[in-house]
Amino acid sequence: MRAKSGLIFCVGLAVFCSGIANTVPLPNTGEAHEALATIPMQRNRDNLYTVNVSLGRSVSFLENPQADRLPFIVDTGANRTGVPRAIANQLIADDDIIFDQTAHAVTGPFDTGLFIVDRLDFGLGPREVELAVFDERDETVLSAAGILGSNAFREEIIVLDYPAAELRLMPQTASTTDMPLRFQDGLIAGEGRILGMSSPVRVFVDTGANASIVNSALVQRHRTARIGRTAVIGGVSSRIVARGELRRLFGGFEVSGLCAGAFQIAVSDVYFFDRLGLIDQPAILLGMDVLRHARITIDYGSGSARIEGVSNWRCQASE
């Protein structure tokens, strides 16, 4: 394992609120191609999904002094894989970790260092992956040992099937013609629609967020209901905490092949929206409160993706 410097843009967050969004479970419609490999995912206490990852050697994690495999959150909102400092210090000397890079979380920027692990394996074979270091006070991040970002994948096609709790590797012959979402700064993004709202909504798909966040520009253009509670929003490793108002979003929300009815959102003009120049444009960071009912296909070779699943809510946003 050797130290390395480089640019990084990393997104991850946790939203801690007194209520959780209500959505209708989405059906599993099946696939036309058989998976080459199937990796089980586990749901943790923060309602995020993890896979077991080997870092090429045993490390001490929580109460296990010789952990061979560690739970990493599969995070489409991160373009770098990352671990807390307590894990990094077991893989590389502390003096070799230079916090000379700036990473960007949902609530603000933070300093990080980068190093390379030669044999990271989450079930698709060992691979060389660059890791960012989160300067956390403990050895966990969002109740996990690390975050599995987009740089952990090669030019592969995967399916994140949350109803089945599986990550599947698909053959390159799998059809990827209907892939309306694209990568933006390593993040999955696209346009969505809300019934009764004439303008499109910029959507970012973040499986590392346990709840969805919208900006003020969206609620100014669409009817929402006040719930009377607040959300406390914390970004990975950033010391900045944001607050938002909890509301209920009405109408059919549609993005790619996903439809959702009324669900709870946190309204906050967080740093993430501001950095991408989206303060005045309706935008949503779509989290696992909705995505846990969906199936996400990602083609890392073409930099495209799609979401599938329809609830019993009649989506008419695009009609």
Side-chain angles (χ1 to χ4, degrees):
M1 297 160 187
R2 55 188 184 278
K4 181 181 177 181
S5 295
L7 298 176
I8 182 170
F9 183 92
C10 181
V11 175
L13 75 116
V15 179
F16 304 96
C17 53
S18 53
I20 191 164
N22 294 316
T23 56
V24 177
L26 304 173
N28 190 329
T29 57
E31 292 160 348
H33 295 79
E34 186 175 349
L36 299 177
T38 299
I39 301 167
M41 296 191 293
Q42 297 81 36
R43 187 174 174 180
N44 71 10
R45 66 181 184 184
D46 281 333
N47 294 313
L48 299 172
Y49 284 74
T50 66
V51 293
N52 290 326
V53 175
S54 169
L55 297 174
R57 52 159 293 181
S58 299
V59 298
S60 175
F61 178 65
L62 298 180
E63 297 180 356
N64 187 349
Q66 294 291 324
D68 294 321
R69 302 191 74 83
L70 307 170
F72 275 50
I73 296 163
V74 182
D75 190 356
T76 61
N79 70 359
R80 284 294 185 277
T81 299
V83 294
R85 192 166 190 166
I87 299 293
N89 284 344
Q90 300 179 64
L91 303 173
I92 186 172
D94 189 56
D95 291 344
D96 290 334
I97 302 175
I98 303 173
F99 285 78
D100 59 350
Q101 305 294 313
T102 300
H104 302 274
V106 170
T107 57
F110 62 93
D111 293 332
T112 187
L114 303 174
F115 69 102
I116 287 179
V117 170
D118 296 321
R119 295 182 59 80
L120 184 145
D121 187 358
F122 55 92
L124 298 182
R127 54 192 63 193
E128 181 179 276
V129 178
E130 184 177 61
L131 270 60
V133 181
F134 304 127
D135 195 15
E136 302 296 317
R137 292 184 176 88
D138 55 30
E139 57 185 325
T140 64
V141 53
L142 304 179
S143 302
I147 287 174
L148 198 68
S150 61
N151 72 321
F153 298 89
R154 298 167 181 164
E155 293 188 355
E156 297 161 324
I157 300 174
I158 68 163
V159 173
L160 300 175
D161 189 336
Y162 287 103
E166 293 177 347
L167 185 160
R168 296 193 290 272
L169 175 67
M170 305 304 295
Q172 291 296 321
T173 54
S175 174
T176 57
T177 55
D178 183 22
M179 305 282 272
L181 306 178
R182 296 289 182 268
F183 282 91
Q184 177 181 335
D185 293 321
L187 313 177
I188 298 174
E191 286 192 348
R193 295 276 180 181
I194 298 176
L195 179 63
M197 187 170 166
S198 59
S199 58
V201 178
R202 193 66 179 158
V203 179
F204 293 88
V205 180
D206 189 356
T207 60
N210 59 13
S212 301
I213 303 174
V214 304
N215 60 4
S216 298
L218 189 149
V219 298
Q220 289 168 2
R221 293 167 172 82
H222 184 71
R223 179 173 62 95
T224 58
R226 296 179 184 274
I227 295 177
R229 296 195 298 270
T230 60
V232 179
I233 304 168
V236 168
S237 214
S238 174
R239 300 291 184 257
I240 302 171
V241 175
R243 293 186 178 274
E245 179 187 11
L246 288 179
R247 294 195 181 193
R248 186 167 294 278
L249 180 71
F250 289 99
F253 169 75
E254 226 178 338
V255 58
S256 185
L258 172 70
C259 167
F263 61 97
Q264 189 169 291
I265 53 173
V267 182
S268 182
D269 290 325
V270 290
Y271 170 83
F272 173 79
F273 294 131
D274 187 27
R275 187 177 187 277
L276 294 180
L278 294 171
I279 290 297
D280 299 321
Q281 177 184 346
I284 179 170
L285 193 67
L286 196 63
M288 287 303 298
D289 49 351
V290 175
L291 296 174
R292 65 189 174 92
H293 301 301
R295 185 183 309 107
I296 307 171
T297 301
I298 307 172
D299 185 343
Y300 286 100
S302 66
S304 58
R306 68 170 175 259
I307 311 177
E308 299 168 279
V310 180
S311 72
N312 62 3
W313 182 276
R314 185 187 176 194
C315 274
Q316 300 172 323
S318 60
E319 296 179 4

